[in-house]
Amino acid sequence: MSEPVVSEPAASGAPEAADALGGNGESGGNGGNGGNAARRRPGRRPGSADTRGQILAAAREIFAEKGFDKATVRGIARQAGVDPALVHHYFAGKEGIFVAAMELPINPENVVAAILAGPRDEVGERLTRLILTITSDAAARQPLLALVRTAMTNDQMVVMIREFMTRALLHRVAELLQIPPLRMEAAFAQLFGVVLVRYVLKLEPLASTDVEDLVELLAPTIQRYLDPARP
């Protein structure tokens, strides 16, 4: 797929507005003619053969330096030497860049949609099945476990993962379910502990138990965390 030639956004009093609104950073003027090229900021590349790789490399540096919360699409684009619209073109937004840069097996948008897609009294079952199914795939599980191992000895990695998990996933689901964040974090902690025991410590029979059998065992407890009507 050929890369778009993107002009710089017109100047405004709020340069970060495109990032905050998830915009593509394009100006609303002429479309793709020589006038656009003339308006480009000097030295900014519209795209190259390895633009995606450049953006990912820049993202890893920015996330490591600033964490997830303080990193911006504009800052990552600046580090990569490309227009912010190219970052949105490849990754849709900051969460998408983080997922790709860290090689995570989950995309928050998909996870949130899957958790909420059904009756409220089955949220615990859907969450349990989702986490256990994703981590049952070795190719998806290994990058996640590698991040956890790195975080054990790297404070910057701890901050980065914590900010991503809370802002992009756990607290978002808690808000949509209208429950205290503590309940969502407790549910996730229990499931994550099962994943670690299952695949790192490899305790039997937990390690070899079928996913659906574990869902049947764990889902009622997870549902209790997520149901504010229960003690």
Side-chain angles (χ1 to χ4, degrees):
M1 178 175 67
S2 61
E3 295 174 352
V5 176
V6 184
S7 62
E8 283 292 315
S12 70
E16 296 295 332
D19 291 352
L21 297 176
N24 61 10
E26 295 178 335
S27 62
N30 300 327
N33 57 22
N36 281 345
R39 289 196 298 272
R40 266 186 225 118
R41 185 179 302 170
R44 299 294 293 271
R45 295 187 299 277
S48 68
D50 192 30
T51 300
R52 189 178 189 277
Q54 292 166 203
I55 294 171
L56 284 175
R60 293 185 184 104
E61 293 181 23
I62 294 296
F63 284 130
E65 176 185 349
K66 297 186 175 183
F68 179 79
D69 283 355
K70 293 182 180 179
T72 65
V73 168
R74 189 174 295 275
I76 291 169
R78 186 182 302 115
Q79 181 77 5
V82 302
D83 192 283
L86 279 174
V87 180
H88 287 289
H89 168 72
Y90 282 109
F91 303 103
K94 185 167 73 169
E95 292 175 5
I97 306 171
F98 188 88
V99 169
M102 299 297 112
E103 299 180 348
L104 296 178
I106 59 172
N107 184 309
E109 293 295 334
N110 297 337
V111 170
V112 172
I115 293 173
L116 300 178
R120 171 62 184 264
D121 60 1
E122 296 176 3
V123 172
E125 180 180 338
R126 290 194 298 276
L127 176 60
T128 302
R129 180 175 288 107
L130 180 68
I131 296 297
L132 294 180
T133 300
I134 289 174
T135 54
S136 68
D137 179 357
R141 181 174 69 246
Q142 291 310 316
L144 180 62
L145 294 181
L147 276 180
V148 172
R149 293 187 181 99
T150 302
M152 290 179 178
T153 57
N154 187 317
D155 291 341
Q156 287 180 315
M157 184 67 74
V158 169
V159 172
M160 186 166 58
I161 294 174
R162 181 175 64 240
E163 290 176 348
F164 174 75
M165 290 300 298
T166 55
R167 302 291 191 272
L169 187 57
L170 299 181
H171 290 184
R172 181 187 298 181
V173 174
E175 181 178 2
L176 292 170
L177 292 176
Q178 297 184 324
I179 62 173
L182 176 61
R183 285 180 172 268
M184 188 66 216
E185 291 178 5
F188 175 78
Q190 177 149 349
L191 289 174
F192 193 67
V194 170
V195 170
L196 292 180
V197 171
R198 186 167 163 83
Y199 296 110
V200 177
L201 297 182
K202 298 182 180 180
L203 295 185
E204 292 291 356
L206 184 65
S208 58
T209 299
D210 182 76
V211 166
E212 286 303 315
D213 290 337
L214 286 178
V215 170
E216 182 179 357
L217 174 66
L218 298 169
T221 299
I222 301 303
Q223 183 65 37
R224 183 177 64 83
Y225 287 127
L226 304 179
D227 189 347
R230 300 187 182 186

